[in-house]
Structures are given as structure tokens and as C-alpha cells.
Amino acid sequence: MAQAVAAAIAGGEPLLAEAGTGTGKTFAYLVPALLYGGKVVVSTGTKTLQDQLFERDLPLVRDALAVPATLALLKGRSNYVCLHHLERTQREGLLHAREDARHLARIAQFARATSRGDRAELAGVPETASIWPLVTSTRDNCLGSKCAFFDECFVMRARHEALDADVVVVNHHLFFADVALRDEGLAELLPACNTVILDEAHQLPETATMFFGEQTASGALTELARDAELLARTEVRDVPGLPDAAAGLLPALRRLRLALGDAPGRATRAAVATRPDFGAALGVLAAALDRLHTELAAQAERSEDLAAIARRAGEAAQRLARWQADAAGDEGENAEQWVRWVDIGVQGFQLHASPLSVADVFRRQVDAGAKSWILTSATLSVAGDFSHYANQLGLGDATTGSWESPFDYANQALLYVPRGLPLPNTPEHTCAVVDLALPVLKSSRGRAFMLFTTLRALGAARERLAEAIAREALELVLLVQGDMSKSELLARFRSTDNAVLLGSASFWEGVDVAGDALSVVVIDKLPFAPPDDPLLAARLAKLTAAGRNPFIEWQLPQAAISLKQGAGRLIRAETDRGVLMLCDPRLVDRAWGRRIWQSLPQMRRTRELAEVEMFFSDAAKAA
């Protein structure tokens, strides 16, 4: 793999590199990139991986190669303490929660002592604390060069370090925020770099779709209203219309949320447009936002804070107006390339305008400048075929390579598809999953992940499994997503030798539990995306209209790639052993199921519970 990466860098070509668990793909791309030299940007899927690269992997490789490369870590501005907003919050004292005062004092002390201002360095304040939005900046409320603290700004300091460094580590959200918005400090970096490396690259199509589209979120508008009301009560108390305009936005948001209906989920704009009061509620929100913008714009010259918030209101009003427009309006002949949809939450909502494809816009980035792009992940192909992934990003002509995991899956792992499973879309399926998994959990003494494709199935499984544990007095500890934070759940799981963790999408990737602590992964069904998802439905309709097979060309490869991610939780080290239990009879009953299991590592396969029990019995004897 390192040789393929070196050839791609030398030739200035894009490379799609799939590398199984344990390959050492991080070293395989870092070694040739550092040896070749020049400017390198490495983007990862999460901030956790970003920190791991910067703190551990990069220094290790650099020192081993004895190359004089300088390193920099660049995160989005909301990860750094903002001295302007910190000072303002200390002065005004308007906090959300009782513990915020204690957190504020710690953050102020940290800001005086730190050189980087990275909130990840301050362990004493939880990442979820309500104080953070008050002491960090966003693209919307940053004052930029007009800020009184500009020369001391932690964000600007990080950007300058990144400009000077040989290797810069970012994450995908930061990368695409900059590519789409020219906002996060990479705009000056990318033209100068020789190599762009995108790790965890299976996430790119979804991340790019989000950033190359537009979103109007009720939470952001609520924050806008509160910020405007705060300014009305402090800086511009002589403007009588501003408090009313700020306050008027909140009932307009509540009215639109009520008009969207009780059921959370995703729906197309056309679907929600038929609901009573939706059109009127949308019009009321647009009018309230326009009024707030008018009031703020009239006072914008009085301070930088007012100018910034007036700009936020204006941009939000423009996004909402574009979303309101008829599909044949703003986009004209390109209207069919966009999907307008709503993500309805329990309390709030997001209005989205998303491109059907990001292939052209991503390809333009790759073609801009003589640099090589290395895209790598453990899950990019379907049975060795990269075409689905490559076409999503406009990289159909890219060089591809696949390097299998060095782990001995044939002896270390067992793929178990139990007999007697009902079809996944039947009411009795989840109960059957739990009932058939129970003897496996007894044999493994817990040490299991049970992963579900929906929260509804997760909830039903929790009840069924809790009843079975109580009824049979089983020595199993049940841990369930949502009862505590993800990090707490994983820490509890690792420290408990008989735990069963129930999770959904957030546990399908980026979770690493090596050793005996995890010996079973149960997956309730093949992870096909819901066909009523607005973006998916539009993509499938487009393929159908072109006379193509949307199931074979889109749904099947997407499910195979997602399943590979979930299955990848099982074997994380050379000595790991475990059972992957897939509870979807279509895997063996349908002709296309063969293509899916052939995409998985080559485990021994069985449909017999006795073989599973023998697997754990042999493991116990060996121990």
C-alpha cells in the first residue's frame, strides 16, 4: 500500500486505497508522504482520530524516518476559546445553567495559561457543558479582523501555524467547511500542498453532500433570536422595535414545528407542504426573520457585534427564501439536481437543500492544482468493486487498490446466520433476534455488541433482553445507548467482563474494543437506508428514470459498505476471536445476499448454534 501511495504522490494522481483492519494504513500513507516532502494535509473522520494522528502517529513516523517535518493541528473555530466571547460572557454574566459559573472561571484561567486555546486540553469542563457556545465563536458570530482580540486569537494562531507547517492535520467537517465556504483557514493551504490524504474516506460522500448543500436549523435561529435579544437589552436599549423583533422569532419557530407534525423523521418539502398550516407557518417565520434583519441592519454600524448578528440574520433570511422558492425557481434548469427536505426532531427541525450528486464539485477540487489525493478506508469497495464509491465522488478513473487484513479470520472469527429468522420487516423480527441471540450471549458470557438499524428496534430489544435476564437470572450486565454518554458506555463495557451493549448507528464505526472484552457482534438486519429518505428516494428515482437498476447500483453497495463497518468492530487485533451474528435471512435466501457476505472478511460460515457454542468452548479450553 505504501508503494501505491508513493506512486500516486509522485504522479500527482488520485488513489482509492482500501485497507483492512490491522493493515497499518496510517503508516502506509504517512511514510511515503513524509519521504516525498512538500506540504501535506491529512484529514480524518473525527476529532479523536485527528488528535491521535497529531499526538502519536505522526511524531512516531517522523522520528523513525528522521525527517525534519513540522506538524500542525487545525480544528474548526468552535474548538478554540474565543477571547472576545469569553470577555463578553464574563462581563454580562448571562449563563444558561448553575454550573456554568464554575466552568466559566476554569475556562478564564485556562485561557490565560494555554498557548493553543484548544478546549480538548481542558479536561475539567465537559464537552457537552452549556457554557461552551458562550465562550467560543462560530462562522456566524466571529468578528474576524475587526475583533479587539484579533492579535491574540487562538484560531488565528492555529491558522498561522498551519500555514507554516509541513504536515497539517484536520478533520472532514473542517475540510469541507473550507472547501464549500472558504471559511476555516484551509483556503490558503490547499493550493500550496503536494498531497491531500483523506482517511476514513467512506464518510466523504455524506459529509460533502451536507457541506455543498444548505441548512436552516431551528436551533441556530433560536440562538440568533437570543443573541439579538441580549444585544437589545445591553448595547441598543434605545431601539424599541428590536426586543419585539427578536422575541417574535421564537413563537414563529414553535408554530412551524407544530405544523410539521408529531412524528420525528425526514420528509420531502412536497410532503410537508400538504400539511395544514405549514405554508402559513413558513410565511410567518420568513416575515419574523425579515423583520429582525431589518431592525438589526438599521443599527449595524453601532458595533461589530451588531454588524455580525445583522449579517447572520440576513444570511438566514436569504437561505429560508431560497428554500421557500418553487423547485423550478432559483435553480432553473438545474432544479432536478437538488432535493429540498425537512429533518424533523422531537423539538426542532432543519430545512435542507441538498445536491443529488457531489461528483462534479468534488472532481473540480481534485483537478484544481497539481497535487495527489489519497482516499483511504477499510470500507470502500463491494467484493473488490470500487465503482459505486468512485462514481459518487467523480473519481471513476482513479487508481484503486485493496489490501486485505493480515488477521486470520478463517480461524479467528465465525459468521453465524441463524435458522428460523422472520423477515426483517415483520413485527416479530426484533423479538426473534433477541431470542436467537440469547444462547450465544450465554456461551460468550456477554462481551457482546448488539447493533440495531433503528432506535425503535433497539428499544424493543432492550425490553425483551431485560426480561430474559431477569427471568433466567443471567449474570449479564445490560448497557444501552442513551443511558449515558458514548464514552462512558464504552468505558463501562471495557471494564465489565460480562456486558452486553445495545447500540445503533453511532456504534457502527469509530469504536475500537480490542481483546476478550468484545467477543460477539450481533447485527439485527442488513443496513439498507430507509427507502422513504428524501435524498435516497430522489437518487433512486433518477436511476430508475435513466433505465438503470437502483437496487443493484445504489442500495446494495451502500448496505454492503455499511455492514462492513459494523462487522469491523469484531476483530481489532491479531489475538482477537469472535462471532459475527447476522440476523437477516436475506443474506442466504436471496441471490444478491451472496454479494454482501463476499464483501466481508473471509470468516468461516455457519447456520448452526452448536458450532457457535463449540467455538466458545474451544476458546475457553485454549485459555
Side-chain angles (χ1 to χ4, degrees):
M1 180 179 169
Q3 289 173 332
V5 171
I9 293 174
E13 301 290 335
L15 171 68
L16 306 182
E18 182 178 64
T21 308
T23 308
K25 65 183 170 69
T26 306
F27 288 2
Y29 64 68
L30 287 181
V31 169
L34 290 180
L35 287 176
Y36 188 82
K39 191 90 171 180
V40 181
V41 172
V42 183
S43 181
T44 68
T46 64
K47 285 182 285 188
T48 302
L49 289 171
Q50 194 181 354
D51 287 333
Q52 178 182 307
L53 258 173
F54 180 73
E55 302 288 351
R56 189 186 74 186
D57 297 339
L58 259 169
L60 182 64
V61 173
R62 178 190 60 184
D63 295 347
L65 296 176
V67 294
T70 54
L71 315 177
L73 181 68
L74 185 60
K75 298 181 179 180
R77 59 162 61 87
S78 63
N79 291 278
Y80 301 94
V81 175
C82 171
L83 297 172
H84 167 73
H85 288 287
L86 173 62
E87 186 272 336
R88 180 178 157 189
T89 301
Q90 287 179 296
R91 173 167 35 89
E92 294 166 354
L94 298 170
L95 306 176
H96 295 317
R98 184 178 300 172
E99 64 270 18
D100 281 351
R102 179 167 45 86
H103 293 330
L104 182 61
R106 284 188 176 181
I107 293 169
Q109 184 179 16
F110 169 72
R112 290 191 293 270
T114 180
S115 61
R116 289 170 55 189
D118 185 345
R119 55 192 269 189
E121 296 175 351
L122 182 56
V125 180
E127 190 176 334
T128 55
S130 56
I131 188 65
W132 283 120
L134 301 178
V135 296
T136 56
S137 70
T138 65
R139 173 177 177 265
D140 289 331
N141 65 23
C142 175
L143 302 183
S145 59
K146 297 177 181 177
C147 178
F149 296 93
F150 183 75
D151 292 338
E152 307 156 65
C153 177
F154 294 120
V155 172
M156 295 310 302
R157 189 176 300 172
R159 289 183 178 182
H160 289 315
E161 288 178 2
L163 280 173
D164 293 336
D166 299 309
V167 184
V168 184
V169 183
V170 301
N171 62 61
H172 295 337
H173 280 74
L174 175 69
F175 185 87
F176 280 103
D178 187 79
V179 169
L181 306 171
R182 288 290 182 264
D183 178 56
E184 293 290 355
L186 288 175
E188 297 169 81
L189 289 176
L190 287 177
C193 73
N194 297 87
T195 307
V196 176
I197 300 170
L198 300 169
D199 201 346
E200 299 298 318
H202 60 278
Q203 301 174 2
L204 298 184
E206 185 175 344
T207 307
T209 298
M210 178 175 69
F211 278 101
F212 291 128
E214 283 192 340
Q215 300 87 39
T216 299
S218 59
L221 294 183
T222 300
E223 190 176 309
L224 171 67
R226 288 173 179 162
D227 287 350
E229 195 169 1
L230 175 62
L231 286 174
R233 283 187 283 149
T234 54
E235 291 190 28
V236 283
R237 284 176 287 185
D238 57 330
V239 181
L242 186 52
D244 289 343
L249 195 55
L250 298 178
L253 287 166
R254 286 194 292 270
R255 179 174 171 178
L256 183 55
R257 175 61 191 87
L258 288 171
L260 288 169
D262 295 331
R266 294 180 170 189
T268 63
R269 180 185 180 280
V272 296
T274 62
R275 298 179 185 178
D277 195 41
F278 173 77
L282 190 63
V284 168
L285 177 60
L289 197 50
D290 285 339
R291 181 190 172 197
L292 178 59
H293 175 237
T294 300
E295 292 283 354
L296 288 166
Q299 311 299 324
E301 294 183 2
R302 295 177 59 168
S303 77
E304 294 301 335
D305 280 330
L306 273 164
I309 199 169
R311 185 174 61 252
R312 285 166 62 190
E315 290 173 354
Q318 289 173 2
R319 283 195 302 272
L320 184 59
R322 283 193 291 271
W323 197 87
Q324 275 184 292
D326 291 333
D330 289 348
E331 289 87 18
E333 62 184 24
N334 294 320
E336 74 279 1
Q337 304 300 326
W338 287 79
V339 180
R340 290 178 184 163
W341 55 283
V342 190
D343 194 350
I344 306 167
V346 175
Q347 295 179 318
F349 59 85
Q350 290 181 323
L351 309 179
H352 291 264
S354 302
L356 266 181
S357 171
V358 296
D360 290 343
V361 68
F362 188 84
R363 182 72 206 206
R364 283 199 297 272
Q365 301 301 322
V366 172
D367 289 341
K371 64 176 73 72
S372 59
W373 291 64
I374 312 298
L375 284 68
T376 184
S377 168
T379 55
L380 296 180
S381 75
V382 180
D385 181 0
F386 287 82
S387 59
H388 173 70
Y389 178 82
N391 291 337
Q392 284 182 278
L393 296 177
L395 298 176
D397 59 345
T399 301
T400 62
S402 186
W403 294 271
E404 292 185 7
S405 169
F407 300 154
D408 184 4
Y409 281 94
N411 290 309
Q412 288 177 254
L414 190 65
L415 172 58
Y416 173 45
V417 180
R419 300 183 189 277
L421 282 163
L423 286 170
N425 58 353
T426 56
E428 59 269 22
H429 179 259
T430 300
C431 289
V433 169
V434 174
D435 294 347
L436 290 166
L438 204 57
V440 177
L441 299 178
K442 292 177 185 176
S443 293
S444 66
R445 303 188 311 280
R447 302 181 297 156
F449 277 6
M450 295 186 71
L451 304 178
F452 296 87
T453 52
T454 66
L455 291 176
R456 182 183 300 170
L458 190 154
R462 175 189 194 149
E463 290 184 18
R464 186 84 167 185
L465 189 55
E467 288 172 4
I469 290 172
R471 182 177 64 249
E472 301 186 32
L474 300 175
E475 293 185 2
L476 297 176
V477 175
L478 192 58
L479 303 172
V480 184
Q481 176 183 324
D483 286 355
M484 59 191 81
S485 72
K486 184 176 176 180
S487 58
E488 288 176 300
L489 274 175
L490 287 171
R492 187 83 61 89
F493 182 85
R494 289 187 180 101
S495 63
T496 307
D497 61 5
N498 59 342
V500 180
L501 189 154
L502 273 60
S504 64
S506 63
F507 284 87
W508 279 65
E509 62 178 278
V511 175
D512 195 348
V513 181
D516 292 339
L518 180 60
S519 297
V520 177
V521 172
V522 180
I523 294 177
D524 72 331
K525 59 184 174 182
L526 297 174
F528 288 105
D532 58 351
D533 177 271
L535 258 178
L536 176 63
R539 285 169 173 154
L540 300 185
K542 187 175 181 182
L543 287 169
T544 302
R548 295 159 67 183
N549 186 325
F551 179 76
I552 296 298
E553 291 191 41
W554 192 279
Q555 291 170 284
L556 188 63
Q558 285 284 102
I561 289 171
S562 296
L563 182 63
K564 285 168 73 173
Q565 277 293 325
R569 301 312 99 212
L570 183 62
I571 305 296
R572 307 299 299 175
E574 290 180 357
T575 56
D576 283 3
R577 285 172 53 85
V579 170
L580 173 63
M581 179 175 172
L582 299 181
C583 300
D584 194 325
R586 296 172 297 178
L587 200 66
V588 290
D589 294 346
R590 303 289 170 87
W592 49 258
R594 178 183 181 88
R595 191 173 175 206
I596 288 189
W597 60 253
Q598 283 183 331
S599 297
L600 297 171
Q602 297 305 301
M603 308 175 187
R604 185 158 52 95
R605 301 189 301 278
T606 186
R607 303 206 67 187
E608 306 301 330
L609 175 62
E611 284 198 54
V612 177
E613 292 172 333
M614 182 70 72
F615 181 90
F616 285 115
S617 174
D618 290 346
K621 290 174 186 174

